[in-house]
Structure formats: structure tokens, C-alpha cells
Amino acid sequence: MFRMAIIAPMKSPATRHSVVRDLGSVDPETRAAAYDGLVRSYWRPVYLYIRVRWRRGAEDAQDLTQEFFARAFEREYLERYDPAKARFRTFVRTCLDGFLANEDRAA
């Protein structure tokens, strides 16, 4: 029972829809500011999720968290979010799980 509570869905801050909307902006400055706000809000929940759910050490989890956000920005993962399909935190967790599974396969 206790173990299930630990790997429960990623706890995350309330979604700021203006930030999510700005992720898809054509203006590079607006887009970069949105990613900055997103990283500031979601860095710790993503890091903790990697530590607990994926059972990674502190350094490895920090590196993977940084790489996840860098790759999400470069490859525009989060711009594909559709609020009609899922909550934003669920979408982030799904992207994160895919990223980590790919990292594990590559290793």
C-alpha cells in the first residue's frame, strides 16, 4: 500500500494555461519564456518522479531531468499537448516515461 502511494501520479503545480499556450508561439522570445516558466514549475516534480518511479540516484536524476527539458525544447515535444485528450501533467508524465524508456534502451 505504501509503495503504491510513492509511485502515484506525478505531483505537479497547477497548470498555467497561458504558459502552455505560449509554448507553441512563433515568437522565439515568448516560446523561450514559456519554457523557462515551465521548467521552473516542473523541474522538481519531474526530478522526484525520476528518483522514485524510475529508481535513479540523485546525480542521474538531475542529469535526466535536465536532458528531458532540453530535448523537449529542441524537439518541441510539449507543443503537441492537446487539452481535450489529457491534463497537462499527464501529458508531461507520458512524454517523460517515453524519454526515459528510450534512454534505457539506448544504454
Side-chain angles (χ1 to χ4, degrees):
M1 183 72 154
F2 179 70
R3 188 175 191 189
M4 293 304 288
I6 290 175
I7 62 172
M10 181 173 64
K11 300 286 185 203
S12 59
T15 301
R16 293 180 24 218
H17 295 282
S18 61
V19 170
V20 174
R21 182 192 64 239
D22 288 349
L23 291 173
S25 175
V26 294
D27 177 38
E29 289 181 21
T30 301
R31 191 167 154 252
Y35 261 98
D36 183 57
L38 181 83
V39 170
R40 288 177 191 273
S41 296
Y42 279 83
W43 197 96
R44 184 153 176 82
V46 166
Y47 167 79
L48 291 173
Y49 183 78
I50 294 170
R51 291 281 324 259
V52 174
R53 171 66 176 88
W54 288 84
R55 296 185 174 105
R56 301 299 174 96
E59 267 187 52
D60 194 25
Q62 287 176 352
D63 292 344
L64 288 167
T65 300
Q66 289 299 113
E67 182 62 27
F68 170 71
F69 283 116
R71 199 166 299 169
F73 182 75
E74 291 168 6
R75 297 187 182 172
E76 301 177 347
Y77 291 158
L78 303 178
E79 284 86 341
R80 299 178 191 137
Y81 170 65
D82 181 356
K85 293 183 179 180
R87 293 189 308 184
F88 187 69
R89 73 183 83 184
T90 302
F91 181 75
V92 170
R93 190 179 65 239
T94 300
C95 291
L96 180 58
D97 285 338
F99 165 77
L100 293 166
N102 287 339
E103 288 296 305
D104 282 354
R105 275 193 295 275

